[in-house]
């Protein structure tokens, strides 16, 4: 299966910008771009955490150390944030 995103970086950035400016809701943007609302929310969260770089396509899967994975599990169990925020 291809890792190529069906939505361009520019479109993702435009959607996030519209949402953050209050110009459109996640529901409206999801219909406009043909994606799930959860996808729009993920783009917004990635933008808030990493800036516009968070919306860039990745060439390969990321790999994480066992220690990092365990620390994420512990943080999640302690209620230190959502799964997306912690990872």
């Amino acid at each position: 299966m291809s890792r190529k995103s069906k939505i361009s970086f520019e479109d993702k950035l435009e959607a996030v910008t519209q949402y953050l400016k209050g110009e459109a809701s996640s529901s409206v943007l999801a219909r406009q771009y043909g994606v799930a609302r959860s996808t729009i929310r993920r783009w917004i969260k990635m933008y808030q955490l990493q800036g516009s770089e968070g919306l860039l396509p990745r060439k390969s899967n990321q790999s994480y150390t066992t220690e990092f994975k365990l620390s994420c599990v512990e943080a999640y169990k302690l209620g230190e944030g959502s799964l997306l925020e912690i990872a």
Side-chain angles (χ1 to χ4, degrees), residues 26-38:
S26 59
S27 297
V28 168
L29 293 167
R31 277 193 303 278
Q32 181 179 337
Y33 289 98
V35 298
R37 253 184 32 208
S38 60

Side-chain angles (χ1 to χ4, degrees), residues 4-18 32-33 43 47 52 55-57:
K4 185 165 173 50
S5 176
K6 294 177 180 146
I7 310 297
S8 71
F9 166 77
E10 292 79 11
D11 285 343
K12 290 177 185 179
L13 186 58
E14 177 62 27
V16 169
T17 302
Q18 286 180 8
Q32 181 179 337
Y33 289 98
W43 294 347
Y47 180 82
S52 59
L55 301 175
L56 290 171

